[in-house]
Amino acid sequence: MTEPRYDVIAIGNAIVDVMSPCTEELIDELDLNKGGMTLVDEDGAQRLYEAMGPAREISGGSAANTLAGMSALGAQCAFVGQVAKDQLGDVFTHDIRAVGIDFDTPSRAGQPSTARCLIFVTPDGERTMNTSLGASQFLPAAAIDDDLIRSTKVLFLEGYLWDPAEPREAMKRAIQVARDAGVKIAFATCADFCVHMHGKDFRALINDGLIDILFVNEEEAGILEGSDPDTAFESLASDVPLVVMTRGGDGAVAARGDERAKVSPEPVEKVQDLTGAGDLFAAGFLSGYCREASLEESLIRGAVAAGEVISHWGARPEADLQALVAKRLG
């Protein structure tokens, strides 16, 4: 059997993050959902952008951030997502290719513009995200290359992208291609509002045996199962072959059949920005999974990657993740 070309191919939102420090007072003044992710239209995005202080533009998107972490850990990755033919689309395309990720989805002409996420970061490192999905919500099923999907070990799907109808159909097609080809399917629920809105769909994917690896945080797990996080984790573990649940300051746990493992967070001198912590945790964990590492080692890899990304601004790694993992594993 031919070895797959890629470790992970991800389908997700192609977003450029616009990040700015702010005060608690500004969060209140703008009536923002602190620590959450809120969808806004293009007019709303412009209003918030004008209220921002000096900002940095850094390519983001949950699944794309995960791939950036995986690429930094030596994995071979490709991304499928929709940008527009505009300046931010060029920024996203350059950035993702520059870190060694294959990205060949054709740009979309006309409006709306490339997606952007306006992130207000308070002194405690908490990030308040306001996302204008723009072109990313128009990823067509025709953008799914069946041969590309068949060429990977893992297909990774971003729960955020389940909301718009067109990319949802694209992901459904990719799921079927992957399942027929024996490709493992990983799914990240991404946010509590995603589970509130689409929990029935996510549960249907689980019940139909279409998710092999599930990434949730404890709040999302509780909403999905309608119970406390610990009960929800065990419930999900009985239905999904591999479940990974992050627990913020309490680390993370994983379950595979009867096997359980847990990890504490990596010590960080100062938390600068929590953006991308879950994305990079998934990156580290999947880098272990693709190497057939133990659950414990995979969790450690996740904790190291998450610890690195919260130590600086932005949701993409800046330090040598392979060196950090090697040091941690001894």
Side-chain angles (χ1 to χ4, degrees), residues 21-79:
C22 76
T23 62
E24 298 284 353
E25 289 75 18
L26 184 60
I27 297 291
D28 293 338
E29 179 185 332
L30 296 173
D31 194 26
L32 301 180
N33 176 27
K34 184 182 176 182
M37 202 291 285
T38 304
L39 295 177
V40 296
D41 59 21
E42 294 216 15
D43 289 341
Q46 186 60 36
R47 177 181 65 86
L48 293 176
Y49 182 69
E50 290 172 357
M52 277 184 151
R56 293 174 59 189
E57 294 179 351
I58 308 169
S59 290
S62 180
N65 293 337
T66 294
L67 292 193
M70 290 204 68
S71 183
L73 286 163
Q76 297 298 308
C77 303
F79 180 73

Side-chain angles (χ1 to χ4, degrees), residues 97-162:
R97 290 175 176 170
V99 295
I101 298 166
D102 289 347
F103 175 54
D104 298 311
T105 308
S107 300
R108 186 177 187 271
Q111 291 296 315
S113 58
T114 295
R116 54 180 165 162
C117 182
L118 306 176
I119 304 175
F120 294 78
V121 184
T122 41
D124 58 1
E126 191 67 80
R127 77 279 189 273
T128 298
M129 301 183 291
N130 304 271
T131 304
S132 174
L133 290 173
S136 70
Q137 62 191 320
F138 295 101
L139 176 73
I144 302 302
D145 180 333
D146 293 2
D147 289 336
L148 180 70
I149 301 301
R150 296 185 188 107
S151 68
T152 186
K153 295 176 183 176
V154 177
L155 172 67
F156 181 67
L157 303 175
E158 174 186 324
Y160 284 132
L161 200 59
W162 197 262

Side-chain angles (χ1 to χ4, degrees), residues 11-297:
I11 303 175
N13 282 312
I15 298 178
V16 176
D17 292 338
V18 182
M19 308 183 65
S20 175
C22 76
T23 62
E24 298 284 353
E25 289 75 18
L26 184 60
I27 297 291
D28 293 338
E29 179 185 332
L30 296 173
D31 194 26
L32 301 180
N33 176 27
K34 184 182 176 182
M37 202 291 285
T38 304
L39 295 177
V40 296
D41 59 21
E42 294 216 15
D43 289 341
Q46 186 60 36
R47 177 181 65 86
L48 293 176
Y49 182 69
E50 290 172 357
M52 277 184 151
R56 293 174 59 189
E57 294 179 351
I58 308 169
S59 290
S62 180
N65 293 337
T66 294
L67 292 193
M70 290 204 68
S71 183
L73 286 163
Q76 297 298 308
C77 303
F79 180 73
V80 179
Q82 189 67 66
V83 298
K85 290 183 178 179
D86 57 19
Q87 183 178 359
L88 288 184
D90 291 343
V91 168
F92 182 90
T93 300
H94 169 270
D95 287 354
I96 199 164
R97 290 175 176 170
V99 295
I101 298 166
D102 289 347
F103 175 54
D104 298 311
T105 308
S107 300
R108 186 177 187 271
Q111 291 296 315
S113 58
T114 295
R116 54 180 165 162
C117 182
L118 306 176
I119 304 175
F120 294 78
V121 184
T122 41
D124 58 1
E126 191 67 80
R127 77 279 189 273
T128 298
M129 301 183 291
N130 304 271
T131 304
S132 174
L133 290 173
S136 70
Q137 62 191 320
F138 295 101
L139 176 73
I144 302 302
D145 180 333
D146 293 2
D147 289 336
L148 180 70
I149 301 301
R150 296 185 188 107
S151 68
T152 186
K153 295 176 183 176
V154 177
L155 172 67
F156 181 67
L157 303 175
E158 174 186 324
Y160 284 132
L161 200 59
W162 197 262
D163 191 50
E166 197 165 359
R168 187 189 316 137
E169 293 307 310
M171 287 196 287
K172 286 180 179 179
R173 176 178 165 184
I175 287 170
Q176 191 57 59
V177 173
R179 181 55 75 227
D180 291 345
V183 169
K184 298 297 184 183
I185 299 169
F187 192 93
T189 51
C190 289
D192 57 358
F193 86 89
C194 292
V195 185
H196 279 302
M197 293 178 67
H198 301 292
K200 289 183 178 179
D201 281 358
F202 297 168
R203 242 297 153 194
L205 292 173
I206 292 170
N207 293 343
D208 290 342
L210 297 177
I211 297 178
D212 299 296
I213 308 167
L214 179 66
F215 290 95
V216 293
N217 67 26
E218 56 185 354
E219 182 177 6
E220 295 154 10
I223 296 168
L224 186 59
E225 297 298 275
S227 64
D228 66 89
D230 290 335
T231 302
F233 175 70
E234 291 301 329
S235 174
L236 290 168
S238 68
D239 294 332
V240 181
L242 175 53
V243 177
V244 182
M245 185 173 78
T246 54
R247 310 198 70 165
D250 292 325
V253 291
R256 179 167 49 200
D258 294 332
E259 184 183 3
R260 301 289 183 271
K262 61 182 179 179
V263 67
S264 298
E266 287 295 294
V268 176
E269 184 174 336
K270 178 176 173 55
V271 175
Q272 294 288 347
D273 170 24
L274 291 170
T275 309
D279 304 335
L280 268 292
F281 194 97
F285 187 91
L286 286 172
S287 75
Y289 177 85
C290 290
R291 295 167 178 254
E292 299 184 357
S294 67
L295 279 189
E296 182 180 8
E297 179 181 327

